[in-house]
């Protein structure tokens, strides 16, 4: 591939990501193992066993790692606001 082709491909892919973000369809994933490793110092500072156990699950749910699905009514409302 030439430099021009790479540049065009990069530009098109960045524009596609921006369009997905505007539509609300862009989801950037984080590996669950990375999250647990990052949270380790915070979780170890918690002295309450139940809170320490639930903290990673709670944070994973907040950022979308919990496998939750968007409610159909929420998506419809979002689409109506964009129109």
């Amino acid at each position: 591939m030439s430099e021009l082709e790479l540049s065009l491909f990069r530009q098109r892919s960045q524009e596609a990501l921006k369009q997905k973000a505007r539509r609300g369809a862009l989801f950037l994933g984080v590996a669950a193992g990375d999250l647990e490793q990052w949270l380790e110092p915070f979780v170890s500072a918690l002295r309450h066993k139940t809170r320490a156990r639930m903290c990673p699950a709670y944070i994973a749910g907040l950022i979308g790692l919990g496998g939750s699905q968007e409610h159909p009514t929420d998506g419809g409302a979002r689409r109506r606001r964009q129109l």
Side-chain angles (χ1 to χ4, degrees):
M1 259 188 184
S2 70
E3 287 294 321
L4 176 63
E5 290 172 323
L6 285 173
S7 173
L8 287 173
F9 180 73
R10 192 175 302 119
Q11 182 181 12
R12 288 180 181 171
S13 64
Q14 288 175 350
E15 185 59 33
L17 284 174
K18 289 177 187 177
Q19 288 177 359
K20 271 184 111 172
R22 282 187 221 120
R23 289 193 313 259
L26 180 64
F27 298 101
L28 301 175
V30 176
D34 293 342
L35 177 66
E36 290 180 14
Q37 182 181 7
W38 186 82
L39 283 174
E40 183 58 36
F42 303 104
V43 172
S44 63
L46 293 172
R47 294 189 177 131
H48 196 274
K49 288 181 183 180
T50 303
R51 288 183 183 160
R53 190 178 72 236
M54 292 303 298
C55 178
Y58 177 74
I59 300 295
L62 285 177
I63 64 173
L65 292 177
S68 63
Q69 296 178 355
E70 180 181 313
H71 295 285
T73 56
D74 293 344
R78 184 180 302 135
R79 277 187 235 103
R80 284 191 295 278
R81 280 190 298 246
Q82 289 176 350
L83 297 176

